[in-house]
Amino acid sequence: MTNNALLNMTGLPPFSKIDPSDVVPAMDQILTESRDQVKRLLDEAVTYNWDNLVMPLELIEERISRIWSPVSHMNSVINSDDLREAYNACLPKLSEYSTEMGQNQKLFNAFKQIAQSDEFLLLNEGQKKIINNAIRDFRLSGVELANEEQARYKDIMQQLSRLTSQYEQNLLDATNDWKKEIHDKSLLNGLPESSKGLAKQMAENEKKDGWLLSLEFPSYYPVMLYADNRALREEMHKAYSTRASDQGSNRDWDNSPLMDEILALRHEAANLLGFKNYAERSLATKMAANTEQVLGFLNELVEKSLPVAKKEYAELQAFAKKEYGVSDLEAWDVPYFSEKLREHTYAISQEEIKPYFPENNVLDGLFSVVNRLYGLQISELNNIDTWHKDVRFFEIRDEHNELRGQFFLDLYARQNKRGGAWMDDCLTRLVVDDQVQAPVAYLTCNFSPPIGDAPALFTHTEVITMFHEFGHGLHHMLTKIDYPSVSGISGVPWDAVELPSQFMENWCWEKSALDNMAKHYETGEPLPDALYNKMMAAKNFQAGMQMVRQLEFSIFDFRIHVEFDKAVYENGKGARIYEILNQVRDKVAVVKAPEFNRFAHGFSHIFAGGYAAGYYSYKWAEVLSADAFSLFEEEGVFDQSAGKRFLENILEKGGSKEPMELFKAFRGREPKIDALLRHSGIA
Ligand code: ZN
């Protein structure tokens, strides 16, 4: 026994006993032991099988993530210098370990041997999936390539990592470089007080008089929405949409050559692995079957939503002309007049709504939805060791009183906590010798804490966020798959992982669900119908315009990866990025982009992030979740047999089967786009 709390863990992490000084020694020890164990497994057996290789590997990986999970979680929610330093010191160790495993030729051969053995046919679906996924991932890491090609592949990966981080750096430098000092306060007319306050504070931070605007989103975006001064909007729009480009203020940060090179290297890497292009490579780990299916899907959405988007845009033009005498809407006018039109048509103040959504009512309402759909009981447990006094802990039991999962709930924003909302796994379901380890989740949000004696009050958007993250949580906690790498959300493809979360959001709009939870915290009065009707009416404001904008990004991202042409590139004509973007815009966009617009130079999701040839996933998952909910619209929003089908075919199955098969088993057919269009008011 050591004194290191991370190495003595059984069950839930002992948060109060974990010291930052424990982290590096614990990870060093666990990674060394894991390496030894893998080596021993490979050396000891002659013929590999599930019991002597795959299951032991599952346990080795599970042990690493069980120890790393509280460290990485605490780094996000109670950050400190010591913890961050320890966390950062471990990142390269972990990535080195996983690269080593991913390139382990002997391990790859062992998996192939099992896949070809007679025993393989006797394994269950989850077990087969683990083996097939492993072989796929080995191949995608280039392990099967001949020596020379493998060296080139590694070289490409290193170059890509350098180029994409340079892209991001240029964008950051260009964003930080632009500032505008304001001395005449009337220039800021229209901005909310909070934005003016931010501008004042930014000026003070730089020891300047007046106000300071920047291209960071919290400064930039309110100007686009609210600033009455058209010239100011134009100036900032231009600065923002030309960042890190040939049109920008400083050519040193021009991303143009990097973007061409990134696309060329991705294409070459995909070719080495035997794919026609990088989009095919991207789909190798996703739900979508092939590139034609993705483009067909996106184009079908365009066809249906473009007429609606055009109509909405015409309404906006008419409104700007009639109310403001502006007849030539430019890109920098669209958000501004849209906001005016929204206020004009659907004025709702969040302050009016919040008193109806006190914390405990929202939680009770959420738990009652889950109870009515799946027959689950959720109750709070006290005296659990957590990382902060505001954190609550709950357990989920099913109709047979079987413990299905537990979760930590950390709702409020505070210092040293990363922003946003997310679900993460603390423990994953695992069965060893008939002993079940129940899954445990972290549900983290950044809502306003209670003020004075009042309970915490949530906006409707926050309620939706809560349901969304809880949907991820249910996917993780209700799994019945016994092996960590395909249980819960593990091994679920990227374009399918948002299905259970977006699916849960639907109940936030259902009157019968709201009646249960939306009650005034002082009077107990239910949410007034007039307010509910306004919320519903505002829900789909400019849904068509938003849809075609997302489709423009998705189709652009996909086409530049599908249509990359090596011969054209080698002729010095680049990757045709803007040629393709302009074609897409001609077909899809309703708001005309100015000539100077260099959107792609700042599209870091696909040039620097993980969304390359994958941006379509957002829409894809929305189709799945809307279509899944449509079964409940047909059968009743609390229909238990529909709930049972969703539970048994989706939530319990995790990544153990292809998501298309799971979806078909649940819905009785392949997904259709109709429900999404109807829910967005587009159909
Ligand atoms: Zn999500």
Side-chain angles (χ1 to χ4, degrees), residues 468-469 472 498 501:
H468 178 106
E469 298 311 331
H472 284 307
E498 295 295 331
S501 52

Side-chain angles (χ1 to χ4, degrees), residues 391-577:
V391 177
R392 302 170 70 176
F393 187 81
F394 298 83
E395 64 169 27
I396 305 181
R397 290 185 179 270
D398 65 17
E399 291 152 318
H400 315 291
N401 200 33
E402 187 194 329
L403 177 66
R404 296 294 292 268
Q406 298 172 307
F407 58 95
F408 294 95
L409 185 65
D410 185 355
L411 286 176
Y412 315 133
R414 60 172 179 267
Q415 269 204 328
N416 303 321
K417 180 174 171 182
R418 172 156 70 88
W422 68 91
M423 190 289 291
D424 206 350
D425 53 330
C426 172
L427 292 175
T428 305
R429 181 180 159 102
L430 170 69
V431 179
V432 181
D433 301 333
D434 291 334
Q435 288 288 312
V436 180
Q437 167 177 287
V440 179
Y442 306 115
L443 294 168
T444 312
C445 301
N446 270 279
F447 301 158
S448 318
I451 299 168
D453 293 336
L457 301 173
F458 301 148
T459 65
H460 188 241
T461 313
E462 288 173 336
V463 174
I464 294 172
T465 302
M466 174 86 228
F467 274 63
H468 178 106
E469 298 311 331
F470 203 73
H472 284 307
L474 290 176
H475 202 187
H476 175 64
M477 292 183 281
L478 298 181
T479 194
K480 284 251 169 126
I481 303 299
D482 300 342
Y483 326 108
S485 60
V486 290
S487 94
I489 56 166
S490 308
V492 177
W494 200 337
D495 48 359
V497 81
E498 295 295 331
L499 163 60
S501 52
Q502 294 178 157
F503 171 74
M504 277 302 289
E505 292 179 20
N506 289 291
W507 278 268
C508 300
W509 296 101
E510 279 303 315
K511 189 80 173 70
S512 53
L514 284 172
D515 282 344
N516 233 326
M517 69 173 141
K519 292 196 181 94
H520 197 285
Y521 79 101
E522 283 172 323
T523 63
E525 173 209 1
L527 183 75
D529 283 347
L531 210 50
Y532 173 74
N533 292 338
K534 266 206 238 173
M535 283 161 59
M536 287 305 288
K539 182 185 172 207
N540 290 328
F541 177 65
Q542 290 188 344
M545 283 169 68
Q546 283 170 29
M547 174 80 86
V548 295
R549 200 171 144 77
Q550 288 300 314
L551 292 171
E552 176 188 326
F553 300 163
S554 305
I555 296 174
F556 164 65
D557 161 48
F558 214 72
R559 280 189 54 190
I560 54 173
H561 288 102
V562 170
E563 294 174 31
F564 179 88
D565 188 328
K566 201 169 162 226
V568 172
Y569 181 78
E570 282 168 355
N571 263 328
K573 299 218 177 71
R576 299 165 52 234
I577 294 171

Side-chain angles (χ1 to χ4, degrees), residues 583-597:
Q583 288 172 8
V584 175
R585 280 176 168 163
D586 282 346
K587 214 180 139 212
V588 176
V590 290
V591 180
K592 217 176 134 40
E595 273 298 307
F596 60 71
N597 182 291

